[in-house]
């Protein structure tokens, strides 16, 4: 039950927070007090991503400067805001930052729950183009990687960006929590940024309990490949490998990732990469070694990614199967055509063995035989083979334009953005974006907004879907950790996060894109929890037409979500 004091606070400030929330458009800005300081600064939307040298609007218009952040949150929530610092001096050094606790009466949110990270530059693109269209591109550096290293210097040429993240503890009481971030120059106070967070009477579930089906495909061999280029050899799935990859996949688990990406044959994605070793014995029988498969699955399960095992694939990027020929002591490749007797016979042998192994491990109910953009007749042949082997197999597909009878056979069906499925019986009904969508996407360009990542979950809610799929979490191509101009696809297509280096000590560097993807999933869980008519109506306004100005629509519907949260 609310205390009388808390009730008074809610009555007094509900209007202020609902109608003048942190991102609301058309509100009167709160100007920064004019002080004789060499350093200036302002809060900025988390949906604004800066290019190198880009100025804050407040540098030319004082009315755009804001030094107070107000927001409405839930217990166990995570909320972000950005700050921009600038100077008219050539250079200022020795910047320091002090974050106070956020206090409400005798209650507080400790400053240890508040993180300051610093958006750093990666090599992105000026334009958002479809698959293969980046044949000729310009170099532009965009602040998307969130560095843990404090920036202590600001120059006239380039403002400093600060990414403020507040984790609201689960036990936090309702009320208005206030605190401040102080920025000092050479130990002298220069700027004070006020933070006021109104904690509503709701608690967000932990990520492991979210209903949203997030499936960002992992490329677990890729960092080891890049390490080799740096003269460092890391054996995949060894203890050293797991130490190196832990921070990357812990970050993924923290966003509510549900599925482990596994390769059950050589060539599922790339040649020479498989977690199951196929051996043709001298007597022409087949044997399968699941050591690497088990090791990776157990590792990911230990991090909390344990709801589904995606097994790639009976077709993959190639129908060929690499194997070890024991008779000749050599590696060979068997080229197979889908639907032929040789294809069906060999995959039946494997499925019998794989099913037995999965049942022994207690994983059969979590395993999904996954197909990637397999077309109509090929998909039908593969599904018939799987179901004839055992009707209890679960089948997944990321694809579209297939017949309804095939759709109905799928347990996990992800359709490309913009395509409406016919089936309604799939357990997981998600959508995916690929390199063919200019907007919305996780591209890092001057033309795209990171608000598109929040938009994804709202769109899923509007369409009655329960998740989102994207093909590449960590498929970096360049040896340079900040160069994400991969091939001729738009920057960001091959990754959602970054890395510190190509060494055994490499650590994850999260991104604005990825943090906002998670923010959208939080919104999805809140929508589901509240089940409010006004909010449900707002959800329906998130249509494909709104993706081109994602910040505008997301600001609007999030304000409604915050208002409903206080009812």
């Amino acid at each position: 039950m609310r205390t009388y004091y808390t009730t008074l606070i809610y009555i007094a400030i509900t209007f202020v927070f609902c109608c003048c929330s942190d991102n609301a458009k058309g509100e009167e800005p709160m100007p920064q007090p004019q002080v004789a300081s060499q350093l200036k600064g302002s809060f900025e939307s988390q949906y604004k991503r800066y290019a190198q040298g880009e100025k804050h609007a407040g540098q030319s218009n004082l009315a755009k400067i804001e030094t107070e952040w107000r927001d409405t949150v839930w217990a166990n929530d995570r909320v972000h805001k950005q700050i921009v610092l600038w100077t008219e001096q050539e250079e200022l050094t020795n910047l320091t930052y002090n974050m106070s606790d956020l206090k409400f009466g005798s209650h507080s949110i400790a400053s240890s729950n508040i993180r300051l990270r610093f958006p750093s530059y990666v090599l992105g693109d000026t334009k958002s183009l479809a698959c293969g269209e980046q044949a000729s591109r310009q170099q532009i550096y965009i602040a998307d990687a969130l560095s843990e290293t404090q920036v202590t210097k600001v120059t006239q040429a380039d403002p400093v960006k600060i990414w403020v993240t507040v984790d609201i503890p689960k036990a936090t009481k309702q009320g208005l929590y206030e605190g401040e971030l102080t920025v000092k120059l050479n130990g002298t106070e220069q700027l004070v940024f006020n933070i006021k967070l109104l904690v509503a009477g709701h608690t967000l579930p932990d990520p492991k309990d979210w209903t949203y089906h997030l499936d960002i495909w992992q490329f677990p061999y890729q960092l080891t490949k890049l390490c080799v280029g740096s003269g460092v050899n890391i054996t995949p799935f060894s203890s050293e490998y797991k130490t190196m990859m832990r921070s990357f996949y812990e970050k993924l688990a923290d966003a509510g990732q549900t599925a482990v990406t596994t390769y059950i044959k050589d060539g599922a994605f790339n040649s020479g990469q498989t977690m199951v070793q196929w051996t043709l014995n001298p007597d022409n029988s087949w044997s399968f070694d699941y050591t690497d498969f088990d090791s990776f699955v157990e590792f990911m399960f230990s991090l909390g990614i344990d709801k589904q095992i995606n097994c790639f694939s009976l077709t993959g990027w190639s129908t060929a199967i690499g194997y070890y020929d024991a008779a000749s002591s050599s590696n060979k490749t068997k080229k197979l055509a889908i639907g032929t007797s040789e294809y069906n016979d060999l995959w039946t042998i494997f499925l019998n063995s794989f099913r037995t192994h999965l049942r022994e491990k207690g994983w059969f109910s979590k395993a999904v035989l996954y197909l990637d953009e397999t077309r109509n007749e090929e998909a039908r042949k593969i599904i018939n083979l799987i179901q004839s082997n055992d009707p209890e197999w679960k089948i997944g597909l990321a694809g579209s334009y297939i017949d309804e009878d095939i759709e109905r056979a799928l347990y996990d069906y992800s359709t490309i953005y913009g395509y409406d499925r016919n089936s309604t019986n799939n357990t997981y009904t998600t959508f995916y974006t690929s390199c063919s969508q200019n907007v919305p996407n996780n591209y890092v360009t001057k033309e795209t907004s990171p608000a598109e990542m929040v938009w994804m979950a709202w769109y899923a809610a509007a369409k009655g879907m329960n998740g989102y799929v994207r093909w590449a979490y960590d498929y970096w191509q360049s040896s340079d950790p900040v160069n994400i101009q991969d091939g001729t696809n738009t920057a960001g297509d091959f990754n959602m996060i970054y890395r510190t280096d190509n060494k055994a000590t490499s650590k994850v560097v999260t991104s604005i894109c990825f943090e906002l993807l998670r923010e959208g999933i939080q919104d999805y869980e809140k929508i589901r929890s509240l089940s409010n008519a006004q909010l449900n109506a707002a959800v329906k306004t998130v249509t494909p037409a709104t993706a081109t100005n994602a910040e505008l629509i997301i600001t609007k519907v999030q304000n409604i979500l915050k208002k409903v949260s206080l009812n």
Side-chain angles (χ1 to χ4, degrees):
M1 181 179 294
R2 296 178 180 173
T3 64
Y4 177 69
Y5 180 45
T6 305
T7 303
L8 286 178
I9 287 178
Y10 270 68
I11 294 173
I13 63 181
T14 293
F15 175 82
V16 174
F17 274 84
C18 293
C19 299
C20 302
S21 72
D22 57 315
N23 289 317
K25 300 299 181 184
E27 66 183 48
E28 284 295 319
M30 292 168 290
Q32 183 183 36
Q34 297 303 301
V35 295
S37 171
Q38 302 174 79
L39 184 67
K40 305 293 183 181
S42 176
F43 278 114
E44 175 62 277
S45 169
Q46 69 269 39
Y47 303 141
K48 170 66 176 178
R49 187 166 52 193
Y50 280 80
Q52 189 172 38
E54 186 175 356
K55 307 297 184 183
H56 184 274
Q59 293 183 251
S60 57
N61 183 354
L62 292 178
K64 298 293 186 180
I65 295 176
E66 299 182 26
T67 57
E68 183 173 284
W69 169 29
R70 298 171 298 187
D71 214 341
T72 300
V73 299
W74 290 23
N76 209 33
D77 210 342
R78 178 174 295 167
V79 63
H80 309 284
K81 192 69 171 174
Q82 197 168 193
I83 293 173
V84 180
L85 306 177
W86 65 86
T87 183
E88 298 306 318
Q89 304 294 312
E90 184 176 343
E91 179 180 287
L92 296 177
T93 58
N94 298 321
L95 297 178
T96 56
Y97 312 90
N98 182 65
M99 186 66 232
S100 73
D101 295 342
L102 306 182
K103 295 186 177 181
F104 162 59
S106 61
H107 305 292
S108 65
I109 298 172
S111 61
S112 58
N113 293 293
I114 305 171
R115 287 174 288 166
L116 303 182
R117 289 171 289 185
F118 297 80
S120 58
Y121 296 115
V122 297
L123 185 57
D125 281 310
T126 55
K127 295 183 178 296
S128 175
L129 301 177
C131 317
E133 293 183 357
Q134 296 284 1
S136 174
R137 67 208 319 172
Q138 299 175 348
Q139 286 199 348
I140 183 169
Y141 285 91
I142 298 173
D144 187 58
L146 295 179
S147 172
E148 301 282 349
T149 303
Q150 283 198 359
V151 175
T152 60
K153 179 176 73 173
V154 59
T155 65
Q156 186 183 58
D158 196 31
V160 168
K161 279 69 69 176
I162 306 170
W163 187 265
V164 184
T165 298
V166 184
D167 286 312
I168 312 299
K170 185 181 286 189
T172 303
K173 303 295 183 182
Q174 292 174 265
L176 177 62
Y177 290 77
E178 302 182 55
E180 58 188 32
L181 171 65
T182 304
V183 183
K184 296 181 179 182
L185 176 63
N186 294 317
T188 301
E189 181 179 302
Q190 296 287 306
L191 298 171
V192 176
F193 295 95
N194 298 303
I195 300 175
K196 297 181 180 181
L197 300 182
L198 181 59
V199 180
H202 300 279
T203 301
L204 190 69
D206 293 329
K208 65 181 178 62
D209 297 319
W210 291 349
T211 61
Y212 195 81
H213 187 63
L214 180 66
D215 187 6
I216 311 299
W217 296 353
Q218 306 102 62
F219 283 78
Y221 292 88
Q222 196 62 16
L223 185 51
T224 65
K225 180 179 176 181
L226 292 167
C227 284
V228 170
S230 298
V232 179
N233 291 309
I234 307 292
T235 301
F237 319 119
S238 64
S239 60
E240 188 177 21
Y241 169 89
K242 293 173 184 175
T243 298
M244 179 177 71
M245 297 305 300
R246 178 171 294 275
S247 70
F248 295 91
Y249 294 142
E250 283 179 338
K251 174 62 63 177
L252 188 56
D254 181 59
Q257 172 76 10
T258 56
V260 183
T261 303
T262 66
Y263 305 163
I264 58 173
K265 79 172 187 79
D266 188 349
F269 284 106
N270 290 315
S271 178
Q273 297 178 358
T274 179
M275 297 176 186
V276 179
Q277 308 302 322
W278 295 48
T279 298
L280 178 61
N281 299 309
D283 62 359
N284 285 326
S285 65
W286 287 89
S287 57
F288 308 96
D289 184 347
Y290 299 103
T291 301
D292 288 347
F293 176 88
D294 293 351
S295 182
F296 187 64
V297 171
E298 288 166 357
F299 171 58
M300 298 296 273
F301 276 22
S302 75
L303 302 180
I305 302 175
D306 59 2
K307 293 181 180 178
Q308 184 166 310
I309 306 169
N310 287 345
C311 305
F312 292 90
S313 171
L314 273 76
T315 172
W317 288 4
S318 166
T319 59
I321 298 175
Y323 65 97
Y324 179 73
D325 181 15
S328 64
S329 300
S330 63
N331 293 313
K332 294 184 177 180
T333 299
K334 187 177 289 291
K335 295 182 179 181
L336 302 172
I338 293 172
T340 62
S341 296
E342 187 178 16
Y343 176 94
N344 291 344
D345 290 347
L346 182 51
W347 275 106
T348 297
I349 292 169
F350 173 79
L351 290 174
N352 288 337
S353 170
F354 193 37
R355 181 181 62 241
T356 299
H357 181 75
L358 290 169
R359 289 192 185 282
E360 288 173 352
K361 300 291 290 187
W363 296 342
F364 183 74
S365 64
K366 296 184 177 186
V368 176
L369 300 175
Y370 214 100
L371 312 177
D372 180 21
E373 296 189 333
T374 307
R375 294 307 178 190
N376 207 53
E377 286 310 309
E378 288 189 342
R380 177 176 281 107
K381 292 174 182 177
I382 293 171
I383 289 170
N384 287 341
L385 169 63
I386 294 170
Q387 291 182 330
S388 66
N389 180 262
D390 191 328
E392 292 187 15
W393 279 114
K394 293 174 179 175
I395 305 169
L397 170 69
S400 304
Y401 304 102
I402 57 173
D403 292 342
E404 188 174 351
D405 66 305
I406 300 175
E407 290 186 348
R408 289 197 303 268
L410 300 173
Y411 168 81
D412 183 343
Y413 184 25
S414 187
T415 49
I416 195 164
Y417 169 70
Y419 177 80
D420 290 326
R421 72 193 68 217
N422 296 307
S423 59
T424 59
N425 66 314
N426 314 106
T427 300
Y428 289 118
T429 58
T430 67
F431 77 101
Y432 70 97
T433 55
S434 70
C435 61
S436 61
Q437 286 80 41
N438 294 2
V439 174
N441 226 316
N442 60 302
Y443 290 158
V444 181
T445 79
K446 279 298 294 174
E447 290 187 339
T448 50
S449 167
E452 294 166 32
M453 303 310 294
V454 182
W455 187 94
M456 300 293 188
W458 283 84
Y459 176 73
K463 296 291 287 185
M465 299 180 185
N466 53 20
Y468 173 67
V469 172
R470 192 66 170 81
W471 85 290
Y473 178 68
D474 51 357
Y475 192 40
W476 309 289
Q477 301 296 295
S478 175
S479 60
D480 181 355
V482 302
N483 183 356
I484 56 169
Q485 290 188 337
D486 294 317
T488 55
N489 286 8
T490 297
D493 185 44
F494 284 43
N495 66 286
M496 282 203 172
I497 42 82
Y498 305 96
R499 64 197 189 280
T500 54
D501 49 46
N502 304 324
K503 301 177 182 177
T505 54
S506 185
K507 299 295 181 185
V508 68
V509 178
T510 190
S511 69
I512 290 177
C513 271
F514 191 71
E515 293 302 310
L516 293 182
L517 175 71
R518 187 187 189 279
E519 179 180 305
I521 299 170
Q522 289 186 153
D523 288 349
Y524 181 96
E525 296 299 323
K526 292 175 184 179
I527 293 164
R528 181 176 176 274
S529 174
L530 291 170
S531 189
N532 172 275
Q534 181 187 7
L535 180 56
N536 292 342
V539 169
K540 294 298 183 183
T541 66
V542 182
T543 63
T546 66
T548 55
N549 196 344
E551 181 175 356
L552 181 64
I553 186 65
I554 290 303
T555 296
K556 180 179 179 180
V557 295
Q558 282 187 331
N559 284 337
I560 295 172
L561 172 58
K562 292 169 187 178
K563 179 180 178 180
V564 170
S565 295
L566 296 175
N567 292 341

